[in-house]
Amino acid sequence: MPRRKSLRKILEPPRFSGYKPYGCKEQGSGHVELLYEEYEAIKLTDYYLKPHHEACQVMGISRATFARIYESARRKIAQALVETKEIKSSMGNAYLDKDWFLCNFCYARFPIVKKRNQKYCPECSSGDLKPIGN
């Protein structure tokens, strides 16, 4: 029986729920599901230019596991581009280091620190909040 997967730490959820191809005559069928941990691996390595050994420490996983997640993310993005498929983000096997919320009024994203127990948006003071990834 395989071992249970450990959760991967994500510092911040993606700022998108999906991407769609634009301006193509033939739409690819279906979609590609990009997991939060795959997004985090791409962000840390390709956007922040961290070496793999530093990025795996941030996510709290081994170097080999990070390499597998990173490779999976690259393949999914390549598949979506070549086959003109939509990319959708999903939680996957990850946890957020803080409780993140989305304001349904102004669409601001922010973490709520548990000790402050904030129940309103810091941008517009709306109380219409939706948890992200919880």
Side-chain angles (χ1 to χ4, degrees):
M1 187 167 183
R3 223 173 60 154
R4 213 178 81 189
K5 288 184 180 180
S6 62
L7 295 175
R8 284 76 187 238
K9 183 169 103 174
I10 306 302
L11 301 178
E12 173 180 357
R15 295 180 184 198
F16 64 92
S17 58
Y19 280 100
K20 284 188 175 184
Y22 174 75
C24 57
K25 292 180 182 175
E26 295 179 22
Q27 287 285 1
S29 61
H31 67 275
V32 173
E33 195 170 284
L34 188 67
L35 303 176
Y36 278 19
E37 61 260 30
E38 293 168 336
Y39 165 78
E40 188 78 3
I42 291 286
K43 182 178 77 171
L44 291 171
T45 304
D46 294 337
Y47 186 73
Y48 290 126
L49 303 176
K50 288 188 181 287
H52 285 203
H53 67 275
E54 285 181 24
C56 71
Q57 290 173 349
V58 170
M59 291 181 67
I61 55 177
S62 71
R63 169 71 174 77
T65 300
F66 181 84
R68 283 191 299 273
I69 292 170
Y70 179 68
E71 180 66 24
S72 173
R74 290 180 54 225
R75 287 179 187 263
K76 287 180 179 182
I77 292 170
Q79 178 188 8
L81 292 174
V82 172
E83 297 176 10
T84 61
K85 290 185 175 184
E86 182 179 354
I87 299 174
K88 292 184 179 180
S89 66
S90 71
M91 188 66 174
N93 198 27
Y95 72 94
L96 297 167
D97 67 337
K98 297 176 186 162
D99 293 330
W100 282 80
F101 288 83
L102 172 71
C103 175
N104 289 323
F105 185 74
C106 71
Y107 302 107
R109 295 167 355 116
F110 55 92
I112 289 183
V113 182
K114 289 184 187 216
K115 60 185 167 192
R116 282 193 295 168
N117 202 10
Q118 177 183 351
K119 297 290 184 198
Y120 59 90
C121 175
E123 297 291 322
C124 69
S125 300
S126 170
D128 188 12
L129 308 178
K130 178 177 97 176
I132 300 174
N134 297 344

